[in-house]
Amino acid sequence: MDEVLPILSVAVPSIFLEGLDYLVPEGVSLAQAAPGVRVRVPLGRREVTGVVLSLKSNSSYDQKKLRRAIAFLDEEPLVSNELLLLYSWVSRYYHYPIGEVILGTLPSKLRQPKPAILKKKPALVPLHFEPIVDLNQEQKQAVEQLQQVQGYRCFLLDGVTGSGKTEVYMHAIVQALKKQQQVLVLVPEIALTPQTLARFEQRFSVPVIAYHSALTPAVRLQHWLLCRVDVPLIVIGTRSSVFAPFHHLGLIVIDEEHDASYKQQTGLRYSARDVAIKRASDCGIPIILGSATPSLESYHNAVEGRFGHLKLSERVGDGRMPEVELIDLRGQHCDSGLSPRLLELISAEVERGNQVLLFLNRRGFAPVMMCHHCGWVVRCHHCESNLVWHKHRQRLVCHHCDLRRQVPMCCAQCEQANLIPVGLGTEQLEESLTTQFAPVPVIRIDRDSTRRKNSLEDKLHRLESGEPVILVGTQMLTKGHHFSKLTLVGMIEADSGLMGVDFRARERFAQQLVQVSGRAGRGAQLGRVVIQTRQPDDAFLNQLLKLGYHGGLSESLVQRRQLGYPPFGYLALLQADDPHAHKPNDFLRQVYRMLDSFGGDVELLGPVPAPMEKLRGRYRAQLLIKSNRRKSLHSLLYQFHRQVKEIKLSRSVRWSVDVDPQVMT
Ligand code: ZN
Ligand code: ZN
């Protein structure tokens, strides 16, 4: 009989798309060699931790040259088969090395050559729920449809802000827990997890576990290990929790499914929403995508019947939809961006003891520091951008590379000492409102004002107390927060959102407008939303106000169909960057020729300079690949990865592939 020579295919952190072959470590029992076990292996001159993908008796490499693995780290597989299959799908779909996919999403502690031990097993508690709140008719219908489903089904829970989507999630979760299953709830932001966690802990007796990148490595490992235990539990997490190692997952919920943060923008550019849908389908379980402003992709899938469409069109309780008013800024005198009409409305609400929210998606004091004499602007040395004036910190800051510098004494062009801030940021708005409305407190919520630990919680807590407050904030405020005393929402300027060039610009603007408006009128009082704009006749804006979110975007859907953009076509973005201005473009021109020679059902657009041509000292260019067939796009990318080595520049220029890109920057 031939001696069987087991060979391990191992995922190692390296550039190889697939696993590398190794011989089984010396002197270990073969029983330990199983897919999902961690193993120490030599890689070049280093020693690294990898994960066994499969066992085989033949290698396509010369077996005599195969290196021997050093030792297994686990007695039993740490990564389940279910998860290994998901990882390998992710690697193929996003054309990203399998080892980077796995090791990059496992807790970092698992890369160390140490056994993984769960310190405290969760006690199996009797299942117990807080009394369920009464549901309205629409909520009841949604819950009933969810209860009827057997196996995989993706649902879009399409509910206006304040319509009680969470209550529907809760009912579905009860169903899963009753079957002793585990539940994953994805939220778009770490800042939202404590709030959500508290809400779930109040309602359910089972363990409720946070999983996100802000946990310490040790805690993150413990939480990861907890998911593997055979007890019903709920995981509340951000993007990366889609790879948590559930023992028996029974339901996935994705809150605010449209949110851009579900797509990772560097390294493995995956969409947690799309991976979650794949995982639910593999596991044969239901998944709920919830949003007041669904992405056009999900909305289209629901309309076409691929997803179940659950609609909630009414606000629960006393909350009524806010009235919307446009303020034409043309020819008006504005004080720090505030028109007389808006100022009047603010004082009226504050006098009634209500809260006001002013939305401006631009932090700092002023976006531009300009020479009053000659128009010279202080720019970043490393990026294609202006430096933003931060008055509190007395610094000019680049919002792209974080370069900080003092304000120059005089202009670099004409040498006059007359630099002035131009334009409006949240700091300036805060300062102006503080002087005009004292003693009413003005609270600013943006990335600068919430850097300190707990400062966001403190601010939100103050708002919940219900005292009259003027709130100034960026898009951080559009997500999930609930303020019952808020009766007026002002969008300081709609114009930059309306003029975006990206094919998703309108969708994003509509989402922002609806989400920020949705903060008003959540309590018993009717809310009002005010939009300041210099384009009050803009056709899209008026459609949106007249027809609401879905109706307002119907035109955009028609355009996307004509142009073959998602959800009607498929995209991949090839990006390259280098300190030398010409290299990214040279490289992508060669890539273009290579892709073109493959033929097939694809369209190549570019290469062109990236919208932000220089970032952190590197020049950037991009090439967009478009196809009406997902399969054609992927087979092209597959061929490209096999042959890209033939292009010499591929070894010096930094490049990446973004499948289903969300941002074209
Ligand atoms: Zn000057
Ligand atoms: Zn910069």
Side-chain angles (χ1 to χ4, degrees):
M1 220 172 77
D2 282 334
E3 188 199 3
V4 184
L5 188 68
I7 290 161
L8 308 171
S9 170
V10 181
V12 291
S14 74
I15 56 161
F16 300 102
L17 285 179
E18 285 155 23
L20 294 188
D21 291 351
Y22 288 92
L23 300 172
V24 172
E26 206 125 25
V28 298
S29 143
L30 271 184
Q32 217 183 326
V37 165
R38 289 178 306 147
V39 62
R40 288 294 278 183
V41 294
L43 182 70
R45 282 184 221 159
R46 293 183 298 151
E47 189 188 308
V48 298
T49 299
V51 172
V52 177
L53 295 172
S54 61
L55 304 172
K56 46 193 189 179
S57 51
N58 278 304
S59 173
S60 44
Y61 297 95
D62 182 356
Q63 294 206 9
K64 292 191 195 81
K65 286 189 186 156
L66 286 189
R67 299 175 81 176
R68 194 170 283 285
I70 298 156
F72 290 120
L73 297 175
D74 308 304
E75 310 238 313
E76 282 177 354
L78 197 65
V79 182
S80 69
N81 260 329
E82 183 255 318
L83 209 46
L84 282 179
L85 283 172
L86 184 73
Y87 277 135
S88 105
W89 177 83
V90 167
S91 163
R92 274 179 283 122
Y93 187 83
Y94 293 104
H95 301 269
Y96 206 71
I98 181 71
E100 296 286 349
V101 170
I102 299 183
L103 279 306
T105 54
L106 286 178
S108 58
K109 284 247 166 201
L110 290 177
R111 273 174 252 157
Q112 297 168 0
K114 287 181 189 159
I117 297 159
L118 178 62
K119 290 196 178 119
K120 192 164 160 251
K121 276 204 176 162
L124 197 59
V125 284
L127 223 49
H128 154 81
F129 320 102
E130 273 305 300
I132 293 292
V133 180
D134 275 346
L135 301 178
N136 66 27
Q137 200 50 37
E138 288 182 322
Q139 286 174 314
K140 269 187 203 145
Q141 277 171 6
V143 168
E144 272 162 26
Q145 284 199 54
L146 287 166
Q147 279 169 354
Q148 279 161 15
V149 65
Q150 304 266 337
Y152 165 72
R153 178 83 170 135
C154 186
F155 290 94
L156 176 64
L157 180 58
D158 188 353
V160 298
T161 51
S163 61
K165 289 187 285 291
T166 309
E167 213 49 54
V168 175
Y169 302 154
M170 297 270 191
H171 276 73
I173 290 170
V174 169
Q175 294 304 312
L177 294 176
K178 275 185 184 162
K179 289 186 239 164
Q180 302 294 308
Q181 291 172 324
Q182 300 172 319
V183 177
L184 169 62
V185 179
L186 283 166
V187 292
E189 235 189 272
I190 295 173
L192 288 174
T193 48
Q195 207 184 341
T196 318
L197 218 60
R199 229 170 140 178
F200 278 72
E201 275 168 346
Q202 263 169 24
R203 288 288 279 275
F204 301 105
S205 60
V206 301
V208 181
I209 298 164
Y211 195 82
H212 51 73
S213 57
L215 301 175
T216 65
V219 172
R220 194 170 162 143
L221 174 61
Q222 288 305 310
H223 287 192
W224 189 88
L225 290 169
L226 263 175
C227 300
R228 301 175 71 240
V229 180
D230 184 8
V231 294
L233 49 79
I234 302 169
V235 170
I236 313 268
T238 50
R239 193 169 59 218
S240 60
S241 59
V242 74
F243 296 110
F246 294 97
H247 188 275
H248 50 295
L249 189 56
L251 172 71
I252 303 178
V253 173
I254 305 188
D255 195 25
E256 309 290 357
E257 68 89 27
H258 64 277
D259 199 281
S261 71
Y262 286 126
K263 173 90 176 174
Q264 182 149 300
Q265 299 296 353
T266 55
L268 170 60
R269 291 164 168 81
Y270 69 101
S271 153
R273 178 194 64 204
D274 297 347
V275 174
I277 293 172
K278 171 68 179 157
R279 191 168 186 184
S281 143
D282 286 351
C283 295
I285 59 168
I287 173 168
I288 308 171
L289 313 181
S291 178
T293 53
S295 63
L296 285 186
E297 282 90 339
S298 298
Y299 179 64
H300 182 68
N301 277 325
V303 171
E304 298 277 296
R306 277 187 291 276
F307 293 176
H309 201 174
L310 312 172
K311 293 177 206 164
L312 305 178
S313 57
E314 291 160 27
R315 283 193 160 186
V316 291
D318 297 325
R320 281 174 291 165
M321 291 315 257
E323 269 177 55
V324 183
E325 176 180 332
L326 280 185
I327 296 180
D328 183 356
L329 287 183
R330 288 174 300 182
Q332 293 230 34
H333 174 76
C334 286
D335 184 1
S336 289
L338 300 160
S339 64
R341 169 70 181 149
L342 182 53
L343 285 170
E344 191 186 305
L345 289 169
I346 297 172
S347 37
E349 288 312 314
V350 175
E351 268 164 35
R352 283 188 204 119
N354 291 325
Q355 298 180 336
V356 172
L357 160 62
L358 299 174
F359 174 77
L360 177 65
N361 209 12
R362 204 184 294 129
R363 59 200 174 84
F365 190 85
V368 175
M369 193 56 109
M370 189 187 271
C371 171
H372 192 53
H373 191 70
C374 75
W376 176 77
V377 163
V378 191
R379 300 179 66 85
C380 178
H381 307 309
H382 311 297
C383 309
E384 184 91 35
S385 78
N386 305 327
L387 294 183
V388 178
W389 171 229
H390 284 249
K391 196 173 174 185
H392 289 259
R393 285 193 274 167
Q394 293 288 309
R395 282 284 183 283
L396 288 166
V397 180
C398 174
H399 282 187
H400 300 279
C401 72
D402 213 29
L403 172 90
R404 288 144 209 237
R405 59 172 291 193
Q406 287 184 324
V407 181
M409 295 299 286
C410 53
C411 171
Q413 195 168 274
C414 72
E415 299 187 348
Q416 300 254 358
N418 202 358
L419 291 170
I420 51 159
V422 175
L424 180 68
T426 46
E427 273 188 19
Q428 191 180 146
L429 197 54
E430 177 193 26
E431 190 180 280
S432 159
L433 290 161
T434 309
T435 7
Q436 294 188 67
F437 291 98
V440 179
V442 178
I443 298 181
R444 174 167 58 94
I445 295 190
D446 58 25
R447 257 202 294 151
D448 299 311
S449 74
T450 53
R451 248 175 251 273
R452 196 173 42 81
K453 200 173 184 258
N454 294 330
S455 60
L456 179 62
E457 282 78 9
D458 293 346
K459 284 171 191 255
L460 292 175
H461 196 71
R462 242 184 112 182
L463 286 159
E464 277 154 23
S465 74
E467 57 171 321
V469 158
I470 301 173
L471 184 61
V472 171
T474 57
Q475 61 179 6
M476 273 185 88
L477 272 180
T478 58
K479 297 178 190 176
H481 307 291
H482 183 120
F483 314 114
S484 57
K485 290 285 278 181
L486 190 70
T487 49
L488 174 65
V489 167
M491 196 174 216
I492 297 300
E493 64 107 25
D495 301 335
S496 53
L498 286 172
M499 291 188 306
V501 288
D502 194 314
F503 77 94
R504 287 185 214 271
R506 291 186 160 191
E507 180 184 346
R508 290 225 182 80
F509 175 80
Q511 285 165 347
Q512 214 161 54
L513 177 62
V514 173
Q515 294 289 348
V516 75
S517 307
R519 305 302 122 210
R522 290 255 178 145
Q525 301 195 60
L526 186 63
R528 184 195 291 272
V529 175
V530 173
I531 302 167
Q532 300 195 126
T533 175
R534 287 188 175 78
Q535 302 170 68
D537 304 322
D538 181 87
F540 164 64
L541 179 59
N542 283 284
Q543 282 283 86
L544 194 59
L545 297 184
K546 203 163 92 195
L547 304 174
Y549 179 76
H550 298 109
L553 283 172
S554 60
E555 188 80 5
S556 302
L557 261 177
V558 172
Q559 282 170 4
R560 288 205 203 170
R561 189 193 289 273
Q562 283 163 355
L563 297 170
Y565 278 113
F568 304 99
Y570 304 94
L571 302 177
L573 189 67
L574 252 155
Q575 292 179 306
D577 62 68
D578 194 85
H580 299 94
H582 65 95
K583 275 192 174 182
N585 192 52
D586 290 352
F587 168 65
L588 290 179
R589 281 220 315 271
Q590 294 179 50
V591 171
Y592 183 102
R593 280 198 289 275
M594 175 181 273
L595 297 178
D596 200 37
S597 74
F598 297 155
D601 192 7
V602 294
E603 200 183 328
L604 304 172
L605 304 166
V608 292
M612 194 163 175
E613 196 181 351
K614 193 179 169 201
L615 180 67
R616 295 188 187 91
R618 302 176 72 94
Y619 292 87
R620 310 157 76 228
Q622 60 192 35
L623 176 63
L624 188 65
I625 312 170
K626 199 167 126 207
S627 179
N628 292 326
R629 294 175 61 229
R630 199 188 288 262
K631 226 178 163 178
S632 311
L633 187 74
H634 281 276
S635 65
L636 185 84
L637 288 174
Y638 181 76
Q639 266 182 305
F640 163 72
H641 275 97
R642 305 207 116 192
Q643 294 187 34
V644 62
K645 278 181 273 189
E646 290 165 18
I647 300 176
K648 224 171 152 191
L649 273 172
S650 72
R651 275 165 264 161
S652 60
V653 169
R654 191 164 71 185
W655 58 272
S656 64
V657 175
D658 187 352
V659 177
D660 307 331
Q662 286 294 310
V663 195
M664 305 284 179
T665 54

